[in-house]
Amino acid sequence: MTGKTHLAVGTLISVSLTALSSFPIEPSHVLILIGGAAYGALLPDIDADYSIAKNKFLISSWIYRMLANLFNRNGRKTCFVHRGIMHSLFIPLLYYIGYYFAESIVIKHSLFGVVIGLLSHLALDLISSGEELFAPVSQKRFRLPFAVKTDGIMDHVLRYASFVGILYIATYIVLEDNPLQIISLIVS
C-alpha cells in the first residue's frame, strides 16, 4: 500500500470510531486523535527510504536510525529491516502501554489514535506483501493468501473509498444528520 492509502484508511477508521463512540469527546480532542491515527498509519514505513514517515517525521526517523545502528552491529541481520519490527504487533503494544498509563486525556487520545493508525497499517500490509507480526521474537512473515499490489487498482480503490467515507462521516458529525438526506433535499 502507498503512504496515501495508509493515511486515508487510518484516518477513516479513527473518524469512524469517533463518530460511533458513545462517550462525549471534545472537538479539539477529536483532531488530536485523528492526528495520532495519521501519524500511526504512516509510522511503520519509517524503515523504508522512500516513505513519507522517514522523510517527514525527522525526530522519529532519527530515533529509529539510532536504534537500528545500535542493534545492527557487526553486519548481522536483525529485526530492523523493512517490514520487520516496525510492522510487528510489538510497536502498537508499546503505544497502548503508554496510553494505559498516561494521565492526561490529551495524551491518551493522541496515543489511542497512534494505536489505531498502527493497527490499520498492519492490517493493510497483511494484504500486500506481508510482515513479521511477532518481531523481535520471530522473523516469520505473515500475509493473507490474496495480494493487493502497491499503487495498483485496489490500492487506489481503498484510498478513494476511504476519502469518500471520511467526507461522509465528517459531514454527518458536523451537520448531525444523514448527508444523503441533505443532498436529496438540495436536489429536490
Side-chain angles (χ1 to χ4, degrees):
M1 299 293 154
T2 61
K4 292 174 188 173
T5 303
H6 283 299
L7 184 61
V9 172
T11 303
L12 174 63
I13 292 170
S14 65
V15 168
S16 299
L17 288 175
T18 302
L20 296 172
S21 173
S22 61
F23 63 92
I25 181 169
E26 294 197 25
S28 61
H29 293 191
V30 171
L31 294 176
I32 289 167
L33 186 133
I34 292 169
Y39 173 79
L42 295 172
L43 184 62
D45 283 336
I46 203 161
D47 55 16
D49 290 335
Y50 58 83
S51 74
I52 296 170
K54 183 174 183 176
N55 296 310
K56 299 293 183 192
F57 304 156
L58 300 180
I59 294 171
S60 299
S61 183
W62 179 82
I63 291 169
Y64 176 81
R65 280 194 320 273
M66 293 301 111
L67 288 171
N69 288 337
L70 179 69
F71 288 100
N72 283 342
R73 300 212 173 212
N74 302 324
R76 58 174 202 234
K77 182 184 174 194
T78 66
C79 55
F80 285 91
V81 295
H82 184 53
R83 300 204 181 198
I85 195 162
M86 293 306 295
H87 282 77
S88 76
L89 294 169
F90 179 69
I91 302 300
L93 178 64
L94 286 178
Y95 277 93
Y96 183 79
I97 290 169
Y99 161 82
Y100 184 80
F101 288 107
E103 293 185 19
S104 162
I105 193 71
V106 172
I107 303 250
K108 276 189 168 301
H109 285 137
S110 175
L111 292 175
F112 187 68
V114 173
V115 171
I116 291 168
L118 288 165
L119 292 175
S120 74
H121 188 110
L122 297 182
L124 286 174
D125 278 358
L126 278 176
I127 61 173
S128 58
S129 55
E131 54 215 340
E132 296 175 10
L133 285 178
F134 298 105
V137 176
S138 169
Q139 291 183 335
K140 181 175 174 24
R141 191 174 282 260
F142 293 87
R143 69 177 288 208
L144 295 177
F146 53 91
V148 172
K149 184 180 177 207
T150 299
D151 213 21
I153 292 171
M154 284 308 296
D155 188 347
H156 289 270
V157 168
L158 276 169
R159 180 181 325 144
Y160 294 118
S162 295
F163 286 140
V164 169
I166 292 165
L167 290 174
Y168 180 86
I169 293 168
T171 304
Y172 182 80
I173 291 170
V174 170
L175 299 176
E176 297 180 358
D177 204 351
N178 186 335
L180 296 178
Q181 290 174 342
I182 294 168
I183 292 170
S184 67
L185 287 174
I186 295 171
V187 172
S188 56

